[in-house]
Amino acid sequence: MTLFVLIALLSLLNTILPDFIRKYLKVSRLWGARNSSELRQLQKEVDSAREQADEVRNAEHSGEYARTIKIMRAERKVSEAEAKLKSARGVENLMRMGIDTAAFYGSKVLLSLVTVIVSVRNRGTPVLVIDESISLAPFTGLLSFPTGVANAISVPAWAFSCNLTFRLLYGLVKNRGA
């Protein structure tokens, strides 16, 4: 009975937990605290460059040519600072996506690996033995393989059916909610 519940629980967690990690847990939030100081510094540079550009536009100049050159230099400085900021934000977003994706697939791999290990270690143990009055024909041999027990459900068959059932149900619930 414990294998019955354990495999069902592992299959349920393997179905629900990775999406929960991706949508709600957001492991990448831990990463954002380290890079936010760099982004704030770049934002200060952009603000400073914009202030300098405004000062150049409003200042008195000796000639129109000198004014135009100084404005162009100030605007170039603003655009370079904005490009640095945009690049840093892009790198941070890429890192966040990478961390979230690694957590998503890492959790799937870990739970799948645990399910496989439990299935392999207990492959000879039946999860459930069904009364002889209930016929599982023509699937009796397939459902009980490799236990050798008549009218039994083996661990691999139970793990497969739980995973398939939970994925189908989760997909239906997810599509209905969207």
PDB file of all heavy atoms in Angstrom, residues 96-123:
ATOM      1  N   ARG A  96      17.746  35.396 -15.618  1.00  0.00           N
ATOM      2  CA  ARG A  96      16.540  34.993 -14.881  1.00  0.00           C
ATOM      3  C   ARG A  96      15.804  33.868 -15.604  1.00  0.00           C
ATOM      4  O   ARG A  96      15.374  32.908 -14.982  1.00  0.00           O
ATOM      5  CB  ARG A  96      15.607  36.185 -14.691  1.00  0.00           C
ATOM      6  CG  ARG A  96      16.080  37.133 -13.636  1.00  0.00           C
ATOM      7  CD  ARG A  96      15.109  38.282 -13.488  1.00  0.00           C
ATOM      8  NE  ARG A  96      15.632  39.202 -12.503  1.00  0.00           N
ATOM      9  CZ  ARG A  96      14.906  39.782 -11.583  1.00  0.00           C
ATOM     10  NH1 ARG A  96      13.616  39.570 -11.532  1.00  0.00           N
ATOM     11  NH2 ARG A  96      15.454  40.587 -10.715  1.00  0.00           N
ATOM     12  N   MET A  97      15.658  34.001 -16.907  1.00  0.00           N
ATOM     13  CA  MET A  97      15.001  32.944 -17.675  1.00  0.00           C
ATOM     14  C   MET A  97      15.791  31.640 -17.588  1.00  0.00           C
ATOM     15  O   MET A  97      15.211  30.560 -17.462  1.00  0.00           O
ATOM     16  CB  MET A  97      14.850  33.353 -19.140  1.00  0.00           C
ATOM     17  CG  MET A  97      13.692  34.248 -19.398  1.00  0.00           C
ATOM     18  SD  MET A  97      13.346  34.631 -21.136  1.00  0.00           S
ATOM     19  CE  MET A  97      14.579  33.848 -22.079  1.00  0.00           C
ATOM     20  N   GLY A  98      17.098  31.740 -17.655  1.00  0.00           N
ATOM     21  CA  GLY A  98      17.946  30.550 -17.556  1.00  0.00           C
ATOM     22  C   GLY A  98      17.824  29.871 -16.202  1.00  0.00           C
ATOM     23  O   GLY A  98      17.728  28.639 -16.117  1.00  0.00           O
ATOM     24  N   ILE A  99      17.794  30.668 -15.140  1.00  0.00           N
ATOM     25  CA  ILE A  99      17.666  30.104 -13.796  1.00  0.00           C
ATOM     26  C   ILE A  99      16.301  29.452 -13.630  1.00  0.00           C
ATOM     27  O   ILE A  99      16.197  28.335 -13.102  1.00  0.00           O
ATOM     28  CB  ILE A  99      17.891  31.201 -12.739  1.00  0.00           C
ATOM     29  CG1 ILE A  99      19.362  31.613 -12.725  1.00  0.00           C
ATOM     30  CG2 ILE A  99      17.454  30.735 -11.360  1.00  0.00           C
ATOM     31  CD1 ILE A  99      19.656  32.853 -11.923  1.00  0.00           C
ATOM     32  N   ASP A 100      15.242  30.128 -14.068  1.00  0.00           N
ATOM     33  CA  ASP A 100      13.895  29.558 -13.955  1.00  0.00           C
ATOM     34  C   ASP A 100      13.753  28.287 -14.793  1.00  0.00           C
ATOM     35  O   ASP A 100      13.138  27.314 -14.353  1.00  0.00           O
ATOM     36  CB  ASP A 100      12.835  30.584 -14.370  1.00  0.00           C
ATOM     37  CG  ASP A 100      12.673  31.692 -13.348  1.00  0.00           C
ATOM     38  OD1 ASP A 100      13.053  31.481 -12.181  1.00  0.00           O
ATOM     39  OD2 ASP A 100      12.161  32.768 -13.706  1.00  0.00           O
ATOM     40  N   THR A 101      14.323  28.286 -15.978  1.00  0.00           N
ATOM     41  CA  THR A 101      14.262  27.103 -16.828  1.00  0.00           C
ATOM     42  C   THR A 101      15.050  25.950 -16.214  1.00  0.00           C
ATOM     43  O   THR A 101      14.599  24.795 -16.232  1.00  0.00           O
ATOM     44  CB  THR A 101      14.784  27.427 -18.240  1.00  0.00           C
ATOM     45  OG1 THR A 101      13.998  28.491 -18.786  1.00  0.00           O
ATOM     46  CG2 THR A 101      14.717  26.226 -19.147  1.00  0.00           C
ATOM     47  N   ALA A 102      16.220  26.247 -15.653  1.00  0.00           N
ATOM     48  CA  ALA A 102      17.018  25.201 -15.003  1.00  0.00           C
ATOM     49  C   ALA A 102      16.282  24.637 -13.794  1.00  0.00           C
ATOM     50  O   ALA A 102      16.291  23.416 -13.572  1.00  0.00           O
ATOM     51  CB  ALA A 102      18.379  25.755 -14.587  1.00  0.00           C
ATOM     52  N   ALA A 103      15.629  25.492 -13.019  1.00  0.00           N
ATOM     53  CA  ALA A 103      14.859  25.008 -11.863  1.00  0.00           C
ATOM     54  C   ALA A 103      13.682  24.157 -12.326  1.00  0.00           C
ATOM     55  O   ALA A 103      13.378  23.120 -11.724  1.00  0.00           O
ATOM     56  CB  ALA A 103      14.368  26.184 -11.024  1.00  0.00           C
ATOM     57  N   PHE A 104      13.024  24.577 -13.401  1.00  0.00           N
ATOM     58  CA  PHE A 104      11.881  23.839 -13.937  1.00  0.00           C
ATOM     59  C   PHE A 104      12.306  22.437 -14.364  1.00  0.00           C
ATOM     60  O   PHE A 104      11.756  21.428 -13.906  1.00  0.00           O
ATOM     61  CB  PHE A 104      11.292  24.614 -15.126  1.00  0.00           C
ATOM     62  CG  PHE A 104      10.200  23.894 -15.865  1.00  0.00           C
ATOM     63  CD1 PHE A 104       8.915  23.870 -15.366  1.00  0.00           C
ATOM     64  CD2 PHE A 104      10.455  23.256 -17.065  1.00  0.00           C
ATOM     65  CE1 PHE A 104       7.897  23.225 -16.045  1.00  0.00           C
ATOM     66  CE2 PHE A 104       9.455  22.602 -17.761  1.00  0.00           C
ATOM     67  CZ  PHE A 104       8.164  22.591 -17.239  1.00  0.00           C
ATOM     68  N   TYR A 105      13.301  22.361 -15.241  1.00  0.00           N
ATOM     69  CA  TYR A 105      13.728  21.062 -15.745  1.00  0.00           C
ATOM     70  C   TYR A 105      14.474  20.260 -14.684  1.00  0.00           C
ATOM     71  O   TYR A 105      14.408  19.030 -14.669  1.00  0.00           O
ATOM     72  CB  TYR A 105      14.558  21.206 -17.017  1.00  0.00           C
ATOM     73  CG  TYR A 105      13.710  21.574 -18.195  1.00  0.00           C
ATOM     74  CD1 TYR A 105      13.806  22.818 -18.796  1.00  0.00           C
ATOM     75  CD2 TYR A 105      12.778  20.680 -18.694  1.00  0.00           C
ATOM     76  CE1 TYR A 105      13.003  23.162 -19.870  1.00  0.00           C
ATOM     77  CE2 TYR A 105      11.975  21.009 -19.769  1.00  0.00           C
ATOM     78  CZ  TYR A 105      12.099  22.249 -20.349  1.00  0.00           C
ATOM     79  OH  TYR A 105      11.306  22.586 -21.412  1.00  0.00           O
ATOM     80  N   GLY A 106      15.196  20.938 -13.807  1.00  0.00           N
ATOM     81  CA  GLY A 106      15.881  20.241 -12.715  1.00  0.00           C
ATOM     82  C   GLY A 106      14.904  19.530 -11.802  1.00  0.00           C
ATOM     83  O   GLY A 106      15.131  18.374 -11.406  1.00  0.00           O
ATOM     84  N   SER A 107      13.811  20.191 -11.475  1.00  0.00           N
ATOM     85  CA  SER A 107      12.804  19.553 -10.619  1.00  0.00           C
ATOM     86  C   SER A 107      12.146  18.379 -11.342  1.00  0.00           C
ATOM     87  O   SER A 107      11.895  17.337 -10.733  1.00  0.00           O
ATOM     88  CB  SER A 107      11.752  20.568 -10.167  1.00  0.00           C
ATOM     89  OG  SER A 107      11.004  21.043 -11.264  1.00  0.00           O
ATOM     90  N   LYS A 108      11.886  18.542 -12.643  1.00  0.00           N
ATOM     91  CA  LYS A 108      11.301  17.428 -13.410  1.00  0.00           C
ATOM     92  C   LYS A 108      12.253  16.232 -13.451  1.00  0.00           C
ATOM     93  O   LYS A 108      11.831  15.096 -13.247  1.00  0.00           O
ATOM     94  CB  LYS A 108      10.969  17.875 -14.834  1.00  0.00           C
ATOM     95  CG  LYS A 108       9.706  18.684 -14.950  1.00  0.00           C
ATOM     96  CD  LYS A 108       9.348  18.914 -16.373  1.00  0.00           C
ATOM     97  CE  LYS A 108       8.210  18.163 -16.913  1.00  0.00           C
ATOM     98  NZ  LYS A 108       7.098  17.797 -16.140  1.00  0.00           N
ATOM     99  N   VAL A 109      13.519  16.494 -13.706  1.00  0.00           N
ATOM    100  CA  VAL A 109      14.508  15.418 -13.782  1.00  0.00           C
ATOM    101  C   VAL A 109      14.656  14.740 -12.421  1.00  0.00           C
ATOM    102  O   VAL A 109      14.693  13.507 -12.331  1.00  0.00           O
ATOM    103  CB  VAL A 109      15.861  15.952 -14.293  1.00  0.00           C
ATOM    104  CG1 VAL A 109      16.985  14.967 -14.054  1.00  0.00           C
ATOM    105  CG2 VAL A 109      15.770  16.316 -15.765  1.00  0.00           C
ATOM    106  N   LEU A 110      14.728  15.538 -11.364  1.00  0.00           N
ATOM    107  CA  LEU A 110      14.905  14.977 -10.026  1.00  0.00           C
ATOM    108  C   LEU A 110      13.726  14.091  -9.632  1.00  0.00           C
ATOM    109  O   LEU A 110      13.923  12.952  -9.185  1.00  0.00           O
ATOM    110  CB  LEU A 110      15.084  16.101  -9.006  1.00  0.00           C
ATOM    111  CG  LEU A 110      15.307  15.648  -7.569  1.00  0.00           C
ATOM    112  CD1 LEU A 110      16.643  14.939  -7.446  1.00  0.00           C
ATOM    113  CD2 LEU A 110      15.238  16.839  -6.641  1.00  0.00           C
ATOM    114  N   LEU A 111      12.511  14.580  -9.825  1.00  0.00           N
ATOM    115  CA  LEU A 111      11.338  13.778  -9.468  1.00  0.00           C
ATOM    116  C   LEU A 111      11.194  12.552 -10.367  1.00  0.00           C
ATOM    117  O   LEU A 111      10.805  11.478  -9.902  1.00  0.00           O
ATOM    118  CB  LEU A 111      10.081  14.636  -9.515  1.00  0.00           C
ATOM    119  CG  LEU A 111       9.960  15.630  -8.363  1.00  0.00           C
ATOM    120  CD1 LEU A 111       8.847  16.622  -8.634  1.00  0.00           C
ATOM    121  CD2 LEU A 111       9.721  14.916  -7.055  1.00  0.00           C
ATOM    122  N   SER A 112      11.517  12.699 -11.641  1.00  0.00           N
ATOM    123  CA  SER A 112      11.469  11.541 -12.547  1.00  0.00           C
ATOM    124  C   SER A 112      12.519  10.509 -12.156  1.00  0.00           C
ATOM    125  O   SER A 112      12.251   9.302 -12.185  1.00  0.00           O
ATOM    126  CB  SER A 112      11.696  11.979 -13.989  1.00  0.00           C
ATOM    127  OG  SER A 112      10.662  12.821 -14.405  1.00  0.00           O
ATOM    128  N   LEU A 113      13.690  10.976 -11.786  1.00  0.00           N
ATOM    129  CA  LEU A 113      14.758  10.069 -11.368  1.00  0.00           C
ATOM    130  C   LEU A 113      14.363   9.312 -10.096  1.00  0.00           C
ATOM    131  O   LEU A 113      14.575   8.098 -10.007  1.00  0.00           O
ATOM    132  CB  LEU A 113      16.052  10.848 -11.149  1.00  0.00           C
ATOM    133  CG  LEU A 113      17.300  10.035 -10.856  1.00  0.00           C
ATOM    134  CD1 LEU A 113      17.643   9.159 -12.050  1.00  0.00           C
ATOM    135  CD2 LEU A 113      18.452  10.957 -10.530  1.00  0.00           C
ATOM    136  N   VAL A 114      13.762   9.990  -9.141  1.00  0.00           N
ATOM    137  CA  VAL A 114      13.300   9.330  -7.924  1.00  0.00           C
ATOM    138  C   VAL A 114      12.238   8.288  -8.260  1.00  0.00           C
ATOM    139  O   VAL A 114      12.258   7.166  -7.733  1.00  0.00           O
ATOM    140  CB  VAL A 114      12.769  10.363  -6.899  1.00  0.00           C
ATOM    141  CG1 VAL A 114      12.050   9.682  -5.753  1.00  0.00           C
ATOM    142  CG2 VAL A 114      13.904  11.219  -6.376  1.00  0.00           C
ATOM    143  N   THR A 115      11.323   8.646  -9.154  1.00  0.00           N
ATOM    144  CA  THR A 115      10.283   7.687  -9.561  1.00  0.00           C
ATOM    145  C   THR A 115      10.900   6.473 -10.246  1.00  0.00           C
ATOM    146  O   THR A 115      10.493   5.331  -9.980  1.00  0.00           O
ATOM    147  CB  THR A 115       9.269   8.366 -10.500  1.00  0.00           C
ATOM    148  OG1 THR A 115       8.717   9.512  -9.847  1.00  0.00           O
ATOM    149  CG2 THR A 115       8.150   7.426 -10.884  1.00  0.00           C
ATOM    150  N   VAL A 116      11.872   6.677 -11.108  1.00  0.00           N
ATOM    151  CA  VAL A 116      12.535   5.562 -11.790  1.00  0.00           C
ATOM    152  C   VAL A 116      13.283   4.687 -10.788  1.00  0.00           C
ATOM    153  O   VAL A 116      13.223   3.452 -10.856  1.00  0.00           O
ATOM    154  CB  VAL A 116      13.477   6.085 -12.904  1.00  0.00           C
ATOM    155  CG1 VAL A 116      14.408   5.001 -13.401  1.00  0.00           C
ATOM    156  CG2 VAL A 116      12.673   6.660 -14.039  1.00  0.00           C
ATOM    157  N   ILE A 117      13.970   5.309  -9.842  1.00  0.00           N
ATOM    158  CA  ILE A 117      14.715   4.528  -8.840  1.00  0.00           C
ATOM    159  C   ILE A 117      13.756   3.690  -7.996  1.00  0.00           C
ATOM    160  O   ILE A 117      13.999   2.500  -7.760  1.00  0.00           O
ATOM    161  CB  ILE A 117      15.571   5.461  -7.953  1.00  0.00           C
ATOM    162  CG1 ILE A 117      16.737   6.013  -8.770  1.00  0.00           C
ATOM    163  CG2 ILE A 117      16.079   4.723  -6.718  1.00  0.00           C
ATOM    164  CD1 ILE A 117      17.521   7.102  -8.075  1.00  0.00           C
ATOM    165  N   VAL A 118      12.658   4.290  -7.556  1.00  0.00           N
ATOM    166  CA  VAL A 118      11.663   3.535  -6.786  1.00  0.00           C
ATOM    167  C   VAL A 118      11.092   2.403  -7.640  1.00  0.00           C
ATOM    168  O   VAL A 118      10.913   1.278  -7.152  1.00  0.00           O
ATOM    169  CB  VAL A 118      10.541   4.471  -6.277  1.00  0.00           C
ATOM    170  CG1 VAL A 118       9.354   3.693  -5.758  1.00  0.00           C
ATOM    171  CG2 VAL A 118      11.076   5.398  -5.202  1.00  0.00           C
ATOM    172  N   SER A 119      10.834   2.670  -8.895  1.00  0.00           N
ATOM    173  CA  SER A 119      10.278   1.639  -9.786  1.00  0.00           C
ATOM    174  C   SER A 119      11.253   0.494 -10.006  1.00  0.00           C
ATOM    175  O   SER A 119      10.860  -0.677  -9.994  1.00  0.00           O
ATOM    176  CB  SER A 119       9.894   2.243 -11.132  1.00  0.00           C
ATOM    177  OG  SER A 119       8.868   3.180 -10.977  1.00  0.00           O
ATOM    178  N   VAL A 120      12.516   0.804 -10.198  1.00  0.00           N
ATOM    179  CA  VAL A 120      13.511  -0.233 -10.464  1.00  0.00           C
ATOM    180  C   VAL A 120      13.782  -1.061  -9.209  1.00  0.00           C
ATOM    181  O   VAL A 120      13.871  -2.291  -9.273  1.00  0.00           O
ATOM    182  CB  VAL A 120      14.814   0.393 -11.020  1.00  0.00           C
ATOM    183  CG1 VAL A 120      15.952  -0.599 -11.039  1.00  0.00           C
ATOM    184  CG2 VAL A 120      14.567   0.944 -12.409  1.00  0.00           C
ATOM    185  N   ARG A 121      13.905  -0.393  -8.072  1.00  0.00           N
ATOM    186  CA  ARG A 121      14.202  -1.117  -6.830  1.00  0.00           C
ATOM    187  C   ARG A 121      13.051  -2.021  -6.402  1.00  0.00           C
ATOM    188  O   ARG A 121      13.266  -3.029  -5.740  1.00  0.00           O
ATOM    189  CB  ARG A 121      14.535  -0.135  -5.719  1.00  0.00           C
ATOM    190  CG  ARG A 121      15.869   0.569  -5.967  1.00  0.00           C
ATOM    191  CD  ARG A 121      16.273   1.414  -4.830  1.00  0.00           C
ATOM    192  NE  ARG A 121      16.828   0.544  -3.785  1.00  0.00           N
ATOM    193  CZ  ARG A 121      16.936   0.898  -2.529  1.00  0.00           C
ATOM    194  NH1 ARG A 121      16.518   2.076  -2.145  1.00  0.00           N
ATOM    195  NH2 ARG A 121      17.461   0.079  -1.644  1.00  0.00           N
ATOM    196  N   ASN A 122      11.822  -1.662  -6.744  1.00  0.00           N
ATOM    197  CA  ASN A 122      10.656  -2.430  -6.312  1.00  0.00           C
ATOM    198  C   ASN A 122       9.929  -3.097  -7.478  1.00  0.00           C
ATOM    199  O   ASN A 122       8.736  -3.381  -7.374  1.00  0.00           O
ATOM    200  CB  ASN A 122       9.691  -1.516  -5.555  1.00  0.00           C
ATOM    201  CG  ASN A 122      10.293  -0.950  -4.300  1.00  0.00           C
ATOM    202  OD1 ASN A 122      10.627  -1.686  -3.390  1.00  0.00           O
ATOM    203  ND2 ASN A 122      10.474   0.357  -4.277  1.00  0.00           N
ATOM    204  N   ARG A 123      10.632  -3.331  -8.569  1.00  0.00           N
ATOM    205  CA  ARG A 123       9.978  -3.848  -9.761  1.00  0.00           C
ATOM    206  C   ARG A 123       9.373  -5.230  -9.570  1.00  0.00           C
ATOM    207  O   ARG A 123       8.434  -5.597 -10.243  1.00  0.00           O
ATOM    208  CB  ARG A 123      10.934  -3.835 -10.954  1.00  0.00           C
ATOM    209  CG  ARG A 123      12.066  -4.805 -10.842  1.00  0.00           C
ATOM    210  CD  ARG A 123      13.013  -4.684 -12.023  1.00  0.00           C
ATOM    211  NE  ARG A 123      14.175  -5.525 -11.824  1.00  0.00           N
ATOM    212  CZ  ARG A 123      15.305  -5.135 -11.257  1.00  0.00           C
ATOM    213  NH1 ARG A 123      15.419  -3.888 -10.836  1.00  0.00           N
ATOM    214  NH2 ARG A 123      16.314  -5.961 -11.109  1.00  0.00           N
TER     215      ARG A 123
END
